[in-house]
Amino acid sequence: EEECKQLNLFSEKDGELVRFKEDESGLEVTLDTHLYRPSELDLHVKEGKIMITGRHEEQDDKKTVVRQFQRIYSLPVGVAETDVTSDLSADGVLVIKAKKPAALK
């Protein structure tokens, strides 16, 4: 029991999430994905959900190290799947935007 408290197993910080914003104009999620190659990231929008996954694997003679994450966000009411956009910057910042129709111009 004492070991679990010291390891903080249940209070791990969300390492990829930089910012989450939802307001009357829609949803914006910013993730730090600099530890992943673009080919290791996947974004799907279906059934009213945005699903972002990343998986990176490194191997050497003695070990395999796997780093991965998955985030699922519900689309705000009134946002169509076709209104979701994403942008990956050169330094690995992924921004996903889901704009409500009134906010689209």
Side-chain angles (χ1 to χ4, degrees):
E1 186 177 338
E2 187 63 33
E3 263 184 56
C4 287
K5 289 179 186 174
Q6 289 177 354
L7 294 174
N8 292 322
L9 295 177
F10 302 106
S11 64
E12 186 173 315
K13 187 175 180 264
D14 186 345
E16 288 82 24
L17 184 64
V18 174
R19 191 176 81 178
F20 175 88
K21 180 179 119 183
E22 185 172 6
D23 58 23
E24 63 281 344
S25 67
L27 171 77
E28 184 173 319
V29 179
T30 304
L31 301 173
D32 177 4
T33 59
H34 78 277
L35 296 174
Y36 300 86
R37 294 182 195 100
S39 63
E40 297 171 332
L41 297 169
D42 192 32
L43 182 124
H44 286 298
V45 182
K46 66 179 183 180
E47 298 175 2
K49 305 247 186 256
I50 302 170
M51 186 166 80
I52 308 123
T53 56
R55 180 179 169 86
H56 176 77
E57 192 170 314
E58 295 176 23
Q59 293 181 343
D60 63 24
D61 294 339
K62 298 180 182 178
K63 65 182 177 197
T64 299
V65 176
V66 177
R67 175 177 45 252
Q68 61 186 9
F69 73 91
Q70 179 180 50
R71 302 287 178 274
I72 300 173
Y73 300 97
S74 294
L75 283 176
V77 174
V79 176
E81 294 176 2
T82 55
D83 293 334
V84 177
T85 61
S86 64
D87 182 58
L88 180 61
S89 69
D91 59 350
V93 176
L94 177 63
V95 178
I96 299 105
K97 294 180 181 179
K99 296 290 182 189
K100 291 185 180 178
L104 292 175
K105 296 191 174 27

XYZ file of all heavy atoms in Angstrom:
834
model
N 0.830 -1.198 0.000
C 0.000 0.000 0.000
C 0.870 1.256 0.000
O 0.629 2.173 -0.757
C -0.921 -0.019 1.216
C -1.905 1.101 1.197
C -2.851 1.035 2.376
O -3.010 -0.057 2.943
O -3.407 2.052 2.706
N 1.872 1.287 0.829
C 2.775 2.434 0.883
C 3.489 2.631 -0.451
O 3.683 3.744 -0.907
C 3.793 2.248 2.017
C 4.665 3.462 2.268
C 3.873 4.681 2.734
O 2.867 4.506 3.440
O 4.263 5.791 2.373
N 3.856 1.521 -1.116
C 4.540 1.609 -2.409
C 3.677 2.322 -3.442
O 4.168 3.141 -4.203
C 4.879 0.209 -2.927
C 6.286 -0.208 -2.615
C 6.603 -1.556 -3.230
O 6.446 -1.701 -4.452
O 6.996 -2.446 -2.477
N 2.396 2.008 -3.480
C 1.499 2.631 -4.449
C 1.440 4.141 -4.259
O 1.428 4.891 -5.216
C 0.094 2.052 -4.351
S -0.010 0.382 -5.004
N 1.414 4.586 -3.034
C 1.366 6.012 -2.763
C 2.641 6.699 -3.244
O 2.601 7.767 -3.821
C 1.175 6.273 -1.266
C -0.204 5.924 -0.771
C -0.316 6.186 0.711
C -1.656 5.707 1.228
N -1.739 5.818 2.684
N 3.775 6.074 -3.021
C 5.047 6.664 -3.424
C 5.187 6.721 -4.946
O 5.756 7.647 -5.483
C 6.213 5.867 -2.834
C 6.350 6.041 -1.340
C 7.460 5.188 -0.769
O 8.058 4.377 -1.464
N 7.735 5.372 0.509
N 4.651 5.727 -5.625
C 4.775 5.684 -7.078
C 3.769 6.587 -7.786
O 3.896 6.837 -8.976
C 4.595 4.236 -7.575
C 5.670 3.252 -7.149
C 5.281 1.850 -7.593
C 7.016 3.632 -7.739
N 2.767 7.066 -7.066
C 1.731 7.914 -7.656
C 1.101 7.274 -8.889
O 0.941 7.900 -9.925
C 2.296 9.287 -8.018
C 2.650 10.088 -6.806
O 1.945 10.040 -5.797
N 3.751 10.802 -6.870
N 0.749 6.015 -8.789
C 0.239 5.268 -9.927
C -1.070 5.824 -10.486
O -1.358 5.660 -11.651
C 0.034 3.795 -9.544
C 1.300 3.019 -9.194
C 0.936 1.612 -8.762
C 2.243 2.972 -10.380
N -1.841 6.466 -9.640
C -3.164 6.912 -10.078
C -3.255 8.415 -10.270
O -4.327 8.946 -10.450
C -4.220 6.434 -9.078
C -4.208 4.939 -8.933
C -3.692 4.341 -7.806
C -4.663 4.124 -9.959
C -3.653 2.966 -7.683
C -4.621 2.749 -9.847
C -4.120 2.166 -8.712
N -2.148 9.106 -10.267
C -2.191 10.554 -10.466
C -1.220 10.975 -11.565
O -0.656 12.051 -11.526
C -1.850 11.271 -9.158
O -0.521 10.960 -8.782
N -1.043 10.111 -12.555
C -0.125 10.427 -13.647
C -0.668 11.584 -14.476
O -1.821 11.614 -14.852
C 0.049 9.191 -14.537
C 1.095 9.387 -15.606
C 1.372 8.098 -16.352
O 1.512 7.055 -15.702
O 1.440 8.156 -17.578
N 0.190 12.539 -14.762
C -0.189 13.719 -15.545
C -0.333 13.336 -17.018
O 0.356 12.488 -17.525
C 0.900 14.774 -15.382
C 0.559 16.095 -15.996
C 1.644 17.106 -15.668
C 1.299 18.438 -16.284
N 1.944 18.628 -17.570
N -1.255 13.987 -17.707
C -1.450 13.770 -19.133
C -0.314 14.471 -19.870
O -0.322 15.677 -20.047
C -2.812 14.334 -19.542
C -3.163 14.022 -20.986
O -2.260 13.622 -21.747
O -4.326 14.182 -21.340
N 0.672 13.709 -20.308
C 1.888 14.268 -20.866
C 1.740 14.908 -22.232
O 2.495 15.799 -22.569
N 0.783 14.469 -23.036
C 0.660 15.008 -24.384
C -0.229 16.248 -24.448
O -0.050 17.088 -25.306
C 0.097 13.947 -25.359
C 1.056 12.841 -25.719
C 1.120 11.752 -24.671
O 0.151 11.587 -23.904
O 2.146 11.072 -24.607
N -1.205 16.336 -23.558
C -2.173 17.428 -23.643
C -1.537 18.752 -23.235
O -1.010 18.887 -22.144
C -3.388 17.149 -22.749
C -4.519 18.173 -22.835
C -5.135 18.185 -24.227
C -5.572 17.874 -21.796
N -1.572 19.711 -24.142
C -1.072 21.043 -23.853
C -2.239 21.952 -23.490
O -2.189 22.696 -22.529
C -0.303 21.620 -25.066
C 0.092 23.067 -24.826
C 0.920 20.772 -25.355
N -3.320 21.848 -24.298
C -4.468 22.719 -24.051
C -5.741 22.081 -24.588
O -5.735 21.460 -25.650
C -4.252 24.065 -24.732
C -5.261 25.109 -24.314
C -4.953 26.430 -24.917
N -5.473 26.408 -26.284
C -5.422 27.426 -27.106
N -4.836 28.532 -26.749
N -5.934 27.339 -28.316
N -6.819 22.246 -23.847
C -8.143 21.803 -24.283
C -9.080 22.984 -24.078
O -9.157 23.547 -22.995
C -8.609 20.603 -23.446
C -10.010 20.171 -23.774
C -10.243 19.263 -24.781
C -11.092 20.683 -23.079
C -11.530 18.864 -25.090
C -12.385 20.298 -23.379
C -12.597 19.380 -24.395
N -9.773 23.356 -25.151
C -10.693 24.495 -25.056
C -11.978 24.140 -25.772
O -11.955 23.681 -26.911
C -10.046 25.720 -25.706
C -10.906 26.969 -25.658
C -10.165 28.128 -26.301
C -10.966 28.605 -27.493
N -10.337 29.677 -28.235
N -13.092 24.317 -25.089
C -14.399 24.151 -25.713
C -15.261 25.322 -25.302
O -15.394 25.627 -24.116
C -15.048 22.829 -25.302
C -16.346 22.581 -26.042
C -16.918 21.190 -25.807
O -16.375 20.446 -24.977
O -17.920 20.853 -26.447
N -15.808 25.997 -26.305
C -16.685 27.132 -26.029
C -17.777 27.193 -27.101
O -17.976 26.213 -27.827
C -15.882 28.439 -25.960
C -15.094 28.737 -27.231
O -15.459 28.224 -28.314
O -14.109 29.495 -27.150
N -18.440 28.353 -27.224
C -19.557 28.461 -28.162
C -19.125 28.330 -29.627
O -19.938 28.042 -30.495
C -20.321 29.777 -27.951
C -19.531 31.039 -28.212
C -18.587 31.439 -27.082
O -18.719 30.933 -25.958
O -17.697 32.269 -27.339
N -17.838 28.527 -29.913
C -17.373 28.423 -31.306
C -16.964 27.003 -31.685
O -16.830 26.685 -32.858
C -16.211 29.383 -31.551
O -15.079 28.977 -30.809
N -16.756 26.149 -30.687
C -16.371 24.766 -30.984
C -15.344 24.225 -30.012
O -15.282 24.638 -28.863
N -14.524 23.331 -30.537
C -13.550 22.600 -29.729
C -12.161 22.792 -30.326
O -12.008 22.795 -31.552
C -13.915 21.111 -29.746
C -12.956 20.108 -29.148
C -13.048 20.131 -27.641
C -13.291 18.717 -29.651
N -11.157 22.977 -29.463
C -9.771 23.033 -29.921
C -8.904 22.258 -28.936
O -8.928 22.517 -27.738
C -9.282 24.472 -30.024
C -7.878 24.579 -30.584
C -7.455 26.018 -30.835
O -8.283 26.813 -31.319
O -6.289 26.328 -30.527
N -8.154 21.299 -29.461
C -7.263 20.471 -28.644
C -5.854 20.645 -29.186
O -5.626 20.538 -30.399
C -7.656 18.974 -28.712
C -6.699 18.135 -27.879
C -9.083 18.762 -28.270
N -4.912 20.928 -28.297
C -3.509 21.056 -28.675
C -2.720 19.979 -27.946
O -2.794 19.875 -26.721
C -2.965 22.447 -28.301
O -3.789 23.446 -28.906
C -1.528 22.635 -28.769
N -1.987 19.159 -28.715
C -1.207 18.066 -28.152
C 0.263 18.216 -28.520
O 0.598 18.587 -29.647
C -1.703 16.713 -28.686
C -3.148 16.348 -28.414
C -3.518 15.060 -29.149
C -3.381 16.168 -26.924
N 1.139 17.908 -27.560
C 2.577 17.883 -27.827
C 2.930 16.478 -28.285
O 2.958 15.547 -27.490
C 3.355 18.238 -26.562
C 4.859 18.160 -26.763
O 5.309 17.896 -27.902
O 5.588 18.353 -25.776
N 3.202 16.321 -29.569
C 3.500 14.997 -30.132
C 4.933 14.946 -30.687
O 5.221 14.159 -31.576
C 2.492 14.642 -31.237
O 2.560 15.630 -32.275
C 1.075 14.574 -30.683
N 5.817 15.768 -30.148
C 7.172 15.840 -30.701
C 7.953 14.527 -30.547
O 8.936 14.314 -31.248
C 7.959 17.006 -30.079
C 8.491 16.739 -28.715
N 7.719 16.891 -27.582
C 9.707 16.309 -28.311
C 8.451 16.570 -26.524
N 9.651 16.217 -26.933
N 7.512 13.640 -29.686
C 8.191 12.355 -29.507
C 7.745 11.315 -30.534
O 8.235 10.190 -30.532
C 7.939 11.817 -28.099
C 8.499 12.673 -26.958
C 8.053 12.121 -25.612
C 10.014 12.757 -27.038
N 6.829 11.704 -31.426
C 6.286 10.792 -32.434
C 6.559 11.333 -33.834
O 6.486 12.541 -34.060
C 4.765 10.630 -32.253
C 4.388 10.084 -30.903
C 4.213 10.930 -29.813
C 4.213 8.725 -30.710
C 3.882 10.430 -28.567
C 3.879 8.220 -29.470
C 3.719 9.081 -28.401
O 3.392 8.580 -27.167
N 6.824 10.436 -34.764
C 6.926 10.825 -36.171
C 5.504 11.028 -36.711
O 4.567 10.408 -36.212
C 7.614 9.721 -36.978
C 9.049 9.501 -36.607
C 9.667 8.415 -37.506
N 10.904 7.950 -36.930
C 11.048 6.819 -36.220
N 10.010 6.021 -36.035
N 12.210 6.478 -35.725
N 5.354 11.849 -37.756
C 4.007 12.018 -38.327
C 3.368 10.683 -38.717
O 2.161 10.498 -38.540
C 4.250 12.902 -39.555
C 5.458 13.716 -39.165
C 6.324 12.753 -38.366
N 4.166 9.755 -39.207
C 3.628 8.443 -39.609
C 3.176 7.602 -38.419
O 2.463 6.606 -38.588
C 4.673 7.671 -40.414
O 5.815 7.413 -39.606
N 3.546 8.001 -37.212
C 3.161 7.264 -36.008
C 1.909 7.843 -35.347
O 1.472 7.360 -34.311
C 4.316 7.271 -34.997
C 5.547 6.564 -35.506
C 6.759 6.739 -34.622
O 6.881 7.763 -33.929
O 7.602 5.826 -34.621
N 1.339 8.878 -35.956
C 0.133 9.519 -35.436
C -1.045 9.190 -36.337
O -0.898 9.075 -37.549
C 0.322 11.039 -35.385
C 1.425 11.541 -34.463
C 1.672 13.015 -34.705
C 1.086 11.266 -33.011
N -2.208 9.036 -35.728
C -3.407 8.713 -36.488
C -4.576 9.501 -35.904
O -4.715 9.598 -34.683
C -3.679 7.211 -36.399
C -4.721 6.745 -37.386
O -4.807 7.328 -38.481
O -5.449 5.795 -37.062
N -5.388 10.075 -36.775
C -6.546 10.846 -36.340
C -7.746 10.385 -37.159
O -7.683 10.347 -38.383
C -6.293 12.347 -36.573
C -7.430 13.239 -36.113
C -6.912 14.266 -35.136
C -8.088 13.909 -37.282
N -8.802 9.975 -36.464
C -10.039 9.548 -37.110
C -11.198 10.327 -36.521
O -11.220 10.601 -35.321
C -10.323 8.058 -36.874
C -9.455 7.148 -37.660
N -9.433 7.108 -39.015
C -8.555 6.213 -37.254
C -8.564 6.198 -39.421
N -8.012 5.649 -38.372
N -12.151 10.662 -37.370
C -13.379 11.311 -36.919
C -14.532 10.462 -37.431
O -14.710 10.306 -38.639
C -13.498 12.747 -37.470
C -14.761 13.402 -36.934
C -12.267 13.564 -37.111
N -15.274 9.858 -36.492
C -16.456 9.096 -36.891
C -17.369 8.889 -35.698
O -16.935 8.927 -34.553
C -16.084 7.759 -37.533
C -15.417 6.767 -36.633
C -15.131 5.484 -37.410
C -14.519 4.461 -36.484
N -14.224 3.223 -37.173
N -18.640 8.716 -36.010
C -19.680 8.479 -35.000
C -19.657 9.524 -33.889
O -19.818 9.213 -32.716
C -19.538 7.066 -34.431
C -19.724 5.992 -35.491
C -19.473 4.580 -34.957
O -19.195 4.428 -33.750
O -19.556 3.643 -35.766
N -19.421 10.780 -34.280
C -19.462 11.869 -33.314
C -18.271 11.958 -32.389
O -18.317 12.659 -31.385
N -17.182 11.291 -32.728
C -15.992 11.290 -31.871
C -14.741 11.614 -32.692
O -14.649 11.288 -33.870
C -15.792 9.917 -31.229
C -17.001 9.426 -30.462
C -16.696 9.355 -29.001
C -17.826 8.724 -28.244
N -18.639 9.625 -27.524
N -13.778 12.258 -32.027
C -12.448 12.476 -32.590
C -11.511 11.541 -31.826
O -11.445 11.600 -30.596
C -11.970 13.924 -32.386
C -12.940 14.917 -33.005
C -10.558 14.104 -32.947
C -12.649 16.357 -32.618
N -10.812 10.671 -32.554
C -9.887 9.743 -31.898
C -8.476 10.008 -32.421
O -8.233 9.967 -33.629
C -10.261 8.294 -32.158
C -9.386 7.333 -31.369
S -10.012 5.648 -31.318
C -9.488 5.060 -32.908
N -7.559 10.305 -31.497
C -6.171 10.569 -31.837
C -5.323 9.497 -31.163
O -5.449 9.264 -29.960
C -5.718 11.950 -31.332
C -6.685 13.038 -31.789
C -4.299 12.259 -31.792
C -7.265 13.816 -30.671
N -4.469 8.833 -31.930
C -3.575 7.821 -31.362
C -2.155 8.079 -31.842
O -1.924 8.610 -32.933
C -3.984 6.389 -31.768
O -4.033 6.298 -33.186
C -5.328 6.011 -31.198
N -1.222 7.694 -31.010
C 0.190 7.754 -31.360
C 0.872 6.514 -30.813
O 0.566 6.070 -29.704
N 1.777 5.941 -31.614
C 2.517 4.761 -31.160
C 3.923 4.822 -31.727
O 4.116 4.924 -32.935
C 1.836 3.479 -31.616
C 2.575 2.227 -31.160
C 1.851 0.965 -31.601
N 2.676 -0.206 -31.407
C 2.769 -0.911 -30.287
N 2.066 -0.547 -29.239
N 3.546 -1.963 -30.211
N 4.914 4.777 -30.837
C 6.330 4.801 -31.222
C 7.010 3.592 -30.587
O 6.787 3.297 -29.418
C 6.990 6.087 -30.723
C 8.458 6.138 -30.990
N 8.967 6.414 -32.232
C 9.512 5.926 -30.174
C 10.292 6.377 -32.167
N 10.639 6.083 -30.932
N 7.808 2.923 -31.374
C 8.495 1.722 -30.877
C 9.981 1.812 -31.219
O 10.350 2.152 -32.342
C 7.885 0.491 -31.540
C 8.303 -0.809 -30.919
C 7.499 -1.987 -31.447
O 6.256 -1.874 -31.531
O 8.123 -3.001 -31.776
N 10.809 1.530 -30.231
C 12.259 1.486 -30.422
C 12.760 0.130 -29.966
O 12.357 -0.358 -28.917
C 12.953 2.563 -29.594
C 12.627 3.972 -30.011
C 13.269 5.003 -29.099
O 14.277 4.690 -28.439
O 12.748 6.125 -29.047
N 13.671 -0.455 -30.746
C 14.216 -1.761 -30.390
C 15.733 -1.728 -30.466
O 16.313 -1.057 -31.314
C 13.722 -2.848 -31.346
C 12.259 -3.128 -31.254
C 11.829 -4.236 -32.203
O 12.533 -4.588 -33.135
N 10.655 -4.791 -31.961
N 16.350 -2.473 -29.556
C 17.768 -2.776 -29.696
C 17.941 -4.248 -29.354
O 16.961 -4.983 -29.252
C 18.642 -1.852 -28.831
C 18.388 -1.981 -27.337
O 17.897 -3.032 -26.891
O 18.698 -1.026 -26.608
N 19.162 -4.707 -29.188
C 19.411 -6.128 -28.952
C 18.799 -6.641 -27.655
O 18.489 -7.826 -27.537
C 20.916 -6.407 -28.935
C 21.551 -6.160 -30.286
O 20.810 -6.177 -31.298
O 22.768 -5.931 -30.341
N 18.632 -5.778 -26.677
C 18.217 -6.234 -25.349
C 16.780 -5.888 -24.974
O 16.210 -6.520 -24.102
C 19.158 -5.657 -24.295
C 20.585 -6.123 -24.475
C 21.476 -5.544 -23.420
C 22.906 -6.009 -23.694
N 23.856 -5.477 -22.761
N 16.220 -4.879 -25.609
C 14.896 -4.452 -25.147
C 14.108 -3.776 -26.263
O 14.649 -3.335 -27.267
C 15.015 -3.502 -23.958
C 15.680 -2.194 -24.316
C 15.839 -1.301 -23.116
C 16.577 -0.049 -23.592
N 17.139 0.729 -22.562
N 12.813 -3.700 -26.016
C 11.901 -2.955 -26.869
C 11.190 -1.936 -25.988
O 10.671 -2.283 -24.926
C 10.851 -3.884 -27.511
O 11.527 -4.849 -28.312
C 9.884 -3.099 -28.375
N 11.185 -0.704 -26.427
C 10.500 0.352 -25.692
C 9.346 0.842 -26.564
O 9.544 1.197 -27.724
C 11.445 1.528 -25.366
C 10.689 2.657 -24.691
C 12.602 1.050 -24.505
N 8.135 0.829 -25.997
C 6.944 1.277 -26.712
C 6.350 2.456 -25.952
O 6.156 2.392 -24.744
C 5.899 0.145 -26.833
C 4.641 0.663 -27.515
C 6.472 -1.035 -27.578
N 6.069 3.523 -26.694
C 5.411 4.696 -26.114
C 4.145 4.900 -26.936
O 4.188 4.899 -28.174
C 6.336 5.907 -26.228
C 5.726 7.190 -25.782
C 6.694 8.373 -25.829
N 7.487 8.472 -27.032
C 8.804 8.226 -27.125
N 9.484 7.818 -26.078
N 9.441 8.371 -28.266
N 3.014 5.047 -26.265
C 1.770 5.233 -27.015
C 0.766 6.036 -26.207
O 0.874 6.129 -24.984
C 1.169 3.890 -27.425
C 0.807 2.979 -26.291
C 0.358 1.616 -26.793
O 0.458 1.288 -27.958
N -0.146 0.806 -25.887
N -0.181 6.621 -26.932
C -1.271 7.329 -26.274
C -2.509 7.239 -27.151
O -2.425 6.957 -28.346
C -0.915 8.807 -26.012
C -0.911 9.664 -27.239
C -2.062 10.339 -27.634
C 0.229 9.807 -28.012
C -2.071 11.134 -28.781
C 0.235 10.604 -29.150
C -0.916 11.264 -29.529
N -3.644 7.454 -26.528
C -4.915 7.528 -27.237
C -5.784 8.555 -26.533
O -5.871 8.563 -25.306
C -5.625 6.187 -27.256
C -6.968 6.236 -27.967
C -7.671 4.892 -27.983
O -7.806 4.249 -26.951
N -8.094 4.479 -29.154
N -6.394 9.433 -27.302
C -7.325 10.425 -26.773
C -8.603 10.342 -27.594
O -8.555 10.264 -28.822
C -6.777 11.848 -26.890
C -5.461 12.078 -26.191
C -5.619 12.122 -24.686
N -4.328 12.291 -24.057
C -3.504 11.295 -23.759
N -3.829 10.065 -24.032
N -2.362 11.525 -23.168
N -9.730 10.387 -26.923
C -11.023 10.389 -27.598
C -11.831 11.571 -27.061
O -11.982 11.711 -25.852
C -11.785 9.066 -27.383
C -10.969 7.901 -27.943
C -13.158 9.125 -28.050
C -11.542 6.533 -27.635
N -12.317 12.391 -27.970
C -13.119 13.556 -27.610
C -14.437 13.486 -28.368
O -14.462 13.128 -29.544
C -12.398 14.861 -27.979
C -11.068 15.026 -27.281
C -9.886 14.682 -27.920
C -11.003 15.513 -25.983
C -8.660 14.822 -27.276
C -9.778 15.659 -25.337
C -8.618 15.308 -25.993
O -7.409 15.441 -25.355
N -15.513 13.856 -27.712
C -16.818 13.936 -28.370
C -16.904 15.239 -29.136
O -16.474 16.291 -28.646
C -17.938 13.892 -27.339
O -17.973 12.642 -26.707
N -17.463 15.167 -30.346
C -17.692 16.383 -31.107
C -18.761 17.214 -30.402
O -19.760 16.655 -29.929
C -18.177 16.055 -32.514
C -17.148 15.572 -33.518
C -17.832 15.204 -34.834
C -16.093 16.615 -33.753
N -18.583 18.512 -30.331
C -19.636 19.352 -29.749
C -20.916 19.256 -30.571
O -20.871 18.994 -31.782
C -19.046 20.767 -29.843
C -17.571 20.570 -29.951
C -17.398 19.284 -30.698
N -22.042 19.474 -29.943
C -23.335 19.451 -30.631
C -23.307 20.471 -31.762
O -22.857 21.605 -31.581
C -24.478 19.778 -29.638
C -25.800 19.910 -30.364
C -24.555 18.720 -28.559
N -23.744 20.055 -32.942
C -23.794 20.952 -34.087
C -22.557 20.922 -34.970
O -22.542 21.551 -36.024
N -21.514 20.210 -34.559
C -20.290 20.130 -35.363
C -20.340 18.873 -36.233
O -20.513 17.769 -35.724
C -19.023 20.108 -34.478
C -17.776 19.912 -35.335
C -18.918 21.381 -33.665
N -20.196 19.066 -37.531
C -20.165 17.935 -38.460
C -18.754 17.361 -38.514
O -17.770 18.067 -38.260
C -20.590 18.391 -39.853
N -18.664 16.074 -38.835
C -17.355 15.425 -38.941
C -16.470 16.125 -39.965
O -15.252 16.190 -39.807
C -17.528 13.947 -39.286
C -18.198 13.173 -38.160
C -18.480 11.718 -38.488
O -18.118 11.261 -39.590
O -19.054 11.035 -37.623
N -17.086 16.702 -41.000
C -16.320 17.393 -42.043
C -15.799 18.754 -41.586
O -14.983 19.365 -42.275
C -17.180 17.579 -43.305
O -18.385 18.253 -42.939
C -17.504 16.240 -43.946
N -16.255 19.219 -40.414
C -15.798 20.511 -39.885
C -14.571 20.368 -38.990
O -14.135 21.343 -38.375
C -16.922 21.197 -39.095
C -18.081 21.617 -39.990
O -17.845 21.838 -41.198
O -19.214 21.702 -39.487
N -14.010 19.172 -38.897
C -12.829 18.931 -38.064
C -11.583 19.096 -38.921
O -11.474 18.520 -40.006
C -12.857 17.520 -37.434
C -11.595 17.261 -36.624
C -14.090 17.354 -36.552
N -10.652 19.914 -38.435
C -9.379 20.114 -39.127
C -8.236 19.826 -38.161
O -8.407 19.892 -36.941
C -9.230 21.554 -39.657
O -9.277 22.463 -38.559
C -10.314 21.888 -40.657
N -7.075 19.504 -38.730
C -5.903 19.289 -37.886
C -4.682 19.874 -38.563
O -4.627 19.997 -39.791
C -5.690 17.794 -37.620
O -5.397 17.112 -38.819
N -3.710 20.249 -37.743
C -2.463 20.805 -38.247
C -1.331 20.324 -37.355
O -1.424 20.421 -36.129
C -2.531 22.339 -38.247
C -1.260 22.949 -38.807
O -0.916 22.644 -39.965
O -0.616 23.730 -38.075
N -0.278 19.793 -37.978
C 0.901 19.325 -37.246
C 2.059 20.237 -37.603
O 2.474 20.303 -38.762
C 1.222 17.871 -37.611
C 2.431 17.241 -36.920
C 2.244 17.202 -35.409
C 2.682 15.843 -37.461
N 2.590 20.956 -36.598
C 3.698 21.878 -36.856
C 5.015 21.107 -36.957
O 5.113 19.943 -36.569
C 3.795 22.914 -35.732
O 4.230 22.292 -34.543
N 6.027 21.767 -37.472
C 7.343 21.149 -37.638
C 7.948 20.723 -36.300
O 8.727 19.767 -36.252
C 8.284 22.114 -38.355
N 7.573 21.404 -35.223
C 8.123 21.040 -33.910
C 7.229 20.068 -33.142
O 7.421 19.834 -31.958
C 8.431 22.279 -33.072
C 7.221 23.159 -32.824
O 6.171 22.926 -33.461
O 7.326 24.071 -31.995
N 6.255 19.467 -33.831
C 5.481 18.381 -33.232
C 4.256 18.782 -32.446
O 3.746 17.996 -31.661
N 3.748 19.983 -32.639
C 2.521 20.398 -31.954
C 1.340 20.110 -32.880
O 1.271 20.622 -33.987
C 2.562 21.886 -31.562
C 1.238 22.317 -30.935
C 3.712 22.141 -30.595
N 0.436 19.257 -32.400
C -0.754 18.881 -33.163
C -1.943 19.663 -32.633
O -2.237 19.624 -31.435
C -1.011 17.371 -33.023
C -2.255 16.817 -33.705
C -2.177 16.996 -35.218
C -2.431 15.345 -33.349
N -2.621 20.389 -33.535
C -3.803 21.169 -33.155
C -4.995 20.624 -33.928
O -4.959 20.542 -35.152
C -3.619 22.674 -33.461
C -4.883 23.449 -33.089
C -2.413 23.226 -32.718
N -6.028 20.216 -33.197
C -7.262 19.713 -33.793
C -8.358 20.723 -33.481
O -8.544 21.108 -32.320
C -7.652 18.328 -33.237
C -6.561 17.311 -33.535
C -8.958 17.839 -33.841
C -5.745 16.955 -32.357
N -9.086 21.162 -34.514
C -10.164 22.122 -34.332
C -11.453 21.545 -34.888
O -11.455 20.948 -35.965
C -9.854 23.432 -35.064
C -8.665 24.174 -34.498
C -8.408 25.448 -35.256
C -7.198 26.162 -34.704
N -6.906 27.407 -35.444
N -12.528 21.727 -34.134
C -13.871 21.329 -34.563
C -14.752 22.549 -34.381
O -15.191 22.860 -33.273
C -14.368 20.156 -33.727
N -14.987 23.259 -35.464
C -15.739 24.531 -35.400
C -17.229 24.296 -35.618
O -17.617 23.549 -36.499
C -15.232 25.513 -36.454
C -13.798 25.940 -36.241
C -13.670 26.811 -35.041
C -12.250 27.288 -34.854
N -12.060 27.959 -33.579
N -18.029 24.958 -34.799
C -19.481 24.914 -34.990
C -19.842 25.741 -36.222
O -19.142 26.690 -36.563
C -20.177 25.480 -33.746
C -20.019 24.574 -32.539
C -20.799 25.088 -31.361
C -20.609 24.149 -30.181
N -21.314 24.617 -28.986
N -20.940 25.385 -36.920
C -21.303 26.056 -38.170
C -21.357 27.584 -38.068
O -20.900 28.275 -38.962
C -22.671 25.482 -38.507
C -22.670 24.140 -37.876
C -21.851 24.294 -36.613
N -21.854 28.135 -37.001
C -21.936 29.596 -36.862
C -20.546 30.215 -36.816
O -20.355 31.367 -37.180
C -22.710 29.960 -35.611
N -19.556 29.434 -36.380
C -18.188 29.941 -36.277
C -17.417 29.781 -37.577
O -16.349 30.335 -37.731
C -17.449 29.233 -35.145
N -17.975 29.023 -38.522
C -17.305 28.837 -39.806
C -17.562 30.061 -40.675
O -18.678 30.506 -40.822
C -17.835 27.577 -40.515
C -17.494 26.250 -39.872
C -18.206 25.126 -40.625
C -15.998 26.002 -39.893
N -16.489 30.555 -41.258
C -16.655 31.750 -42.106
C -15.914 31.544 -43.406
O -14.889 31.008 -43.485
C -16.137 32.970 -41.382
C -16.963 33.254 -40.136
C -16.615 34.605 -39.577
C -17.439 35.070 -38.446
N -18.071 34.263 -37.563
